[in-house]
Amino acid sequence: MGETSHDIQRVLSRAPKLASLSNDLLFMDIWERPELNKRDRSLITVAALLALYRLEQLPVHLDLARKNGVSDEELSELITHLAFYAGWPAAHSALKVLDKLIVGCRREEQ
């Protein structure tokens, strides 16, 4: 669950078209549309990943959400709220991923 950007690029190099679609369509087009700001898109994405139990993608998008202005407290609240809709195990697992991200960031700051 600690994929680096190098790891992601290595994996995507095995499917260049998928990499191209991810970058060009998803991140350069969909994420840039003005109807939703990036903060809202991050909240929606994290909620969808949690609800679908896509833990492998969650660290990247939790980090992106933080960069897009979502606080750790808001992410914790999102996880708590979704526990009742997506299930307790999914929420608990997502909370562990968030905790690992927060602890890792605090270590980097020291």
Side-chain angles (χ1 to χ4, degrees):
M1 270 197 274
E3 275 188 319
T4 65
S5 106
H6 176 73
D7 294 332
I8 294 167
Q9 292 306 314
R10 187 190 73 248
V11 170
L12 287 176
S13 73
R14 301 192 191 291
K17 185 61 178 179
L18 179 60
S20 172
L21 289 169
S22 294
N23 187 56
D24 299 342
L25 178 62
L26 179 59
F27 291 107
M28 300 303 290
D29 183 7
I30 302 298
W31 272 83
E32 296 299 325
R33 293 170 53 87
E35 291 80 8
L36 290 171
N37 63 43
K38 289 184 181 181
R39 184 181 189 286
D40 292 345
R41 288 185 191 279
S42 282
L43 286 168
I44 293 163
T45 302
V46 169
L49 292 173
L50 187 159
L52 294 170
Y53 205 70
R54 303 296 195 259
L55 297 180
E56 197 170 297
Q57 299 293 313
L58 205 49
V60 170
H61 284 282
L62 285 169
D63 186 49
L64 185 59
R66 294 170 94 214
K67 289 175 182 169
N68 285 334
V70 182
S71 71
D72 293 338
E73 293 77 17
E74 290 170 314
L75 290 169
S76 295
E77 184 62 25
L78 178 145
I79 292 167
T80 301
H81 184 77
L82 284 174
F84 295 92
Y85 295 94
W88 220 262
H92 187 267
S93 295
L95 190 58
K96 287 171 57 177
V97 174
L98 177 61
D99 179 66
K100 192 178 217 179
L101 179 68
I102 293 169
V103 169
C105 287
R106 285 188 183 146
R107 283 188 187 137
E108 288 176 11
E109 290 173 358
Q110 294 177 347

